[in-house]
């Protein structure tokens, strides 16, 4: 049994990962630390486990092998460097860190202390993503020219997101860094190449400290363009994916949860839209993390996309602040 220390219940998905840890046959949460002691005590009491005022004290427990990090984004570097130095494996919510420099520090510490790190990028594991990757591997769309992914909800207008999600000091952003991270890493994946420049526009529909409406465009060496859209101010905006190429197009969620293809590269897909089967998801990021611990393997692809996500988010935030395009190569490593 892998015993886990829980680092914070700040994030809205903290209890989701607590549930996953409880349901996995090989893991259990045995301790909690939270930068908000009252919240941490309540979470620990609810689970019947120990609460620690000191993170260092919790990390000193020899029986704890790993930690789940759901602390504010501003604290990711601090808590993960401590966890790595203590030899604890790390599972964390996106983003890995708000800047490329901090993300590289975390990755270096993880490698130096030989701990297993996995970042929750859940939509990489969904069936539609697996199906789209297979189509792209077959080159059925020709040369990719444009990818658009949109994800939005009404958290700001309906008032169900917690107030602390709008504090720029803790979050380093709003709709794009929190919700738009999913369209961002999917767009990066489907472009099949590293973007060279990011341009972003942020909107403040509800007047919050962070953006609640966002669009980012990614340019690539080949000329393909990625469009990432996110918002906290839409009640009925479907999650949707478009992948366009010189010879065909894939559509998902426009608006139904169906995967459609039309392409000149395969006879049966030429004369109209054809619905493709969507397989079930592969194992979750949390399950993958546990497997990496048990089998002494590393989450290479997951960490590659986590690092790319940090780059793109840092560039988008800088672009929105400075009202100009930001080249990825100009970020401080």
């Amino acid at each position: 049994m892998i015993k886990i220390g829980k680092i914070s219940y700040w994030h809205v998905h903290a209890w989701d990962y607590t549930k996953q840890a409880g349901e996995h046959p090989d893991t259990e949460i045995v301790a909690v630390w939270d930068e908000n002691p009252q919240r941490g005590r309540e979470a620990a009491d609810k689970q019947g486990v120990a609460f620690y005022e000191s993170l260092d004290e919790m990390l000193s427990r020899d029986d704890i092998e790993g930690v789940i990090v759901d602390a504010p984004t501003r604290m990711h570097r601090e808590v993960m460097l401590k966890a790595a130095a203590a030899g604890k494996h790390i599972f964390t919510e996106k983003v890995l860190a708000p800047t490329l420099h901090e993300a590289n520090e975390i990755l270096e510490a993880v490698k130096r202390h030989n701990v297993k790190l996995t970042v929750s990028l859940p939509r990489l594991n969904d069936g539609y993503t697996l199906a789209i990757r297979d189509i792209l591997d077959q080159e059925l769309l020709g040369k990719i020219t444009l990818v658009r992914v949109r994800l939005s909800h009404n958290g700001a207008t309906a008032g169900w997101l917690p107030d602390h999600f709008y504090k720029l000091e803790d979050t380093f952003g709003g709709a794009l860094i929190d919700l738009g991270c999913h369209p961002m890493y999917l767009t990066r994946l489907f472009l099949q190449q590293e973007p060279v420049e990011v341009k972003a526009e942020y909107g403040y529909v509800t007047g919050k400290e962070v953006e609640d409406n966002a669009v980012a465009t990614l340019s690539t060496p080949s000329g393909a363009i990625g469009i990432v859209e996110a918002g906290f101010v839409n009640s009925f905006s479907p999650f949707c994916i478009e992948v366009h190429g010189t010879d065909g197009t894939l559509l998902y969620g426009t608006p139904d949860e169906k995967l459609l293809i039309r392409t000149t590269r395969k006879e049966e897909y030429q004369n109209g839209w054809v619905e493709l089967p969507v397989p079930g998801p592969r194992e979750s990021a949390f399950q993958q993390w546990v497997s990496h611990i048990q089998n002494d393997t590393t989450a290479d692809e997951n960490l590659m996309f986590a690092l790319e996500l940090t780059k793109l988010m840092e560039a988008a935030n800088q672009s929105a602040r400075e009202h100009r395009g930001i080249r990825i190569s100009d970020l401080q490593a």
Side-chain angles (χ1 to χ4, degrees):
M1 186 66 70
I2 298 170
K3 294 184 177 180
I4 295 171
K6 186 71 174 65
I7 297 181
S8 184
Y9 278 84
W10 175 86
H11 202 280
V12 292
H13 293 312
W15 283 104
D16 296 331
Y17 297 121
T18 299
K19 184 172 183 287
Q20 288 189 41
E23 291 175 345
H24 197 290
D26 298 331
T27 61
E28 64 173 337
I29 292 176
V30 298
V32 171
W33 173 86
D34 199 304
E35 75 281 0
N36 180 328
Q38 180 180 349
R39 181 176 60 205
R41 286 192 191 92
E42 290 173 355
D45 290 345
K46 186 174 181 179
Q47 299 172 77
V49 301
F51 172 73
Y52 287 84
E53 294 273 359
S54 164
L55 176 59
D56 292 335
E57 186 179 356
M58 186 182 81
L59 293 175
S60 70
R61 280 183 53 167
D62 291 336
D63 62 330
I64 290 178
E65 292 185 59
V67 294
I68 298 174
V69 176
D70 278 296
T73 305
R74 67 173 170 84
M75 298 185 69
H76 275 201
R77 174 187 175 276
E78 174 189 351
V79 300
M80 284 192 247
L81 291 185
K82 284 189 174 185
K88 311 303 183 187
H89 305 297
I90 303 167
F91 180 82
T92 186
E93 179 62 271
K94 43 66 180 168
V95 292
L96 176 60
T99 67
L100 174 60
H101 182 71
E102 291 185 17
N104 280 332
E105 285 186 287
I106 293 168
L107 293 175
E108 181 183 337
V110 164
K111 184 177 181 179
R112 182 168 66 251
H113 296 288
N114 194 30
V115 301
K116 309 304 179 184
L117 169 66
T118 302
V119 182
S120 180
L121 307 175
R123 292 175 187 263
L124 289 179
N125 307 311
D126 286 342
Y128 51 81
T129 301
L130 304 180
I132 292 171
R133 293 185 76 170
D134 181 58
I135 291 294
L136 295 179
D137 287 344
Q138 296 179 56
E139 300 183 347
L140 291 181
L141 304 185
K143 181 181 178 182
I144 300 303
T145 56
L146 187 139
V147 176
R148 171 180 172 260
V149 187
R150 176 173 178 79
L151 182 60
S152 184
H153 59 52
N154 65 353
T157 48
W160 54 262
L161 274 178
D163 288 343
H164 63 248
F165 256 55
Y166 304 115
K167 294 181 179 178
L168 183 61
E169 179 185 5
D170 285 344
T171 61
F172 287 86
L176 195 68
I177 200 169
D178 173 63
L179 195 61
C181 63
H182 302 295
M184 187 70 86
Y185 62 71
L186 289 178
T187 299
R188 164 66 182 89
L189 170 66
F190 300 147
L191 283 171
Q192 298 184 305
Q193 55 192 306
E194 185 173 0
V196 295
E197 186 175 273
V198 178
K199 296 178 182 176
E201 291 288 340
Y202 291 173
Y204 299 82
V205 176
T206 58
K208 305 291 187 184
E209 190 176 11
V210 299
E211 83 282 354
D212 52 25
N213 203 21
V215 175
T217 58
L218 318 179
S219 63
T220 66
S222 74
I225 296 172
I227 304 171
V228 179
E229 303 173 6
F232 291 161
V233 290
N234 304 103
S235 293
F236 303 108
S237 180
F239 167 63
C240 59
I241 299 170
E242 301 176 19
V243 184
H244 303 276
T246 52
D247 298 319
T249 288
L250 276 173
L251 302 174
Y252 179 80
T254 51
D256 298 326
E257 294 181 357
K258 296 178 180 180
L259 182 61
L260 305 175
I261 188 171
R262 189 170 183 180
T263 176
T264 61
R265 290 208 169 189
K266 203 167 187 178
E267 185 175 353
E268 60 263 43
Y269 299 156
Q270 288 185 7
N271 298 320
W273 293 104
V274 177
E275 183 176 354
L276 298 174
V278 175
R282 65 184 179 186
E283 63 179 4
S284 71
F286 183 83
Q287 292 171 314
Q288 292 173 32
W289 178 58
V290 175
S291 295
H292 289 309
I293 295 172
Q294 294 171 328
N295 299 313
D296 193 23
T297 52
T298 53
D300 295 335
E301 183 185 70
N302 172 272
L303 296 181
M304 185 272 284
F305 281 111
L307 186 63
E308 290 286 298
L309 176 60
T310 289
K311 291 180 187 178
L312 296 170
M313 284 299 173
E314 181 182 6
N317 280 337
Q318 186 178 347
S319 173
R321 283 194 311 270
E322 300 178 6
H323 303 286
R324 66 183 181 94
I326 301 300
R327 294 189 67 83
I328 300 297
S329 58
D330 290 339
L331 298 176
Q332 180 187 357

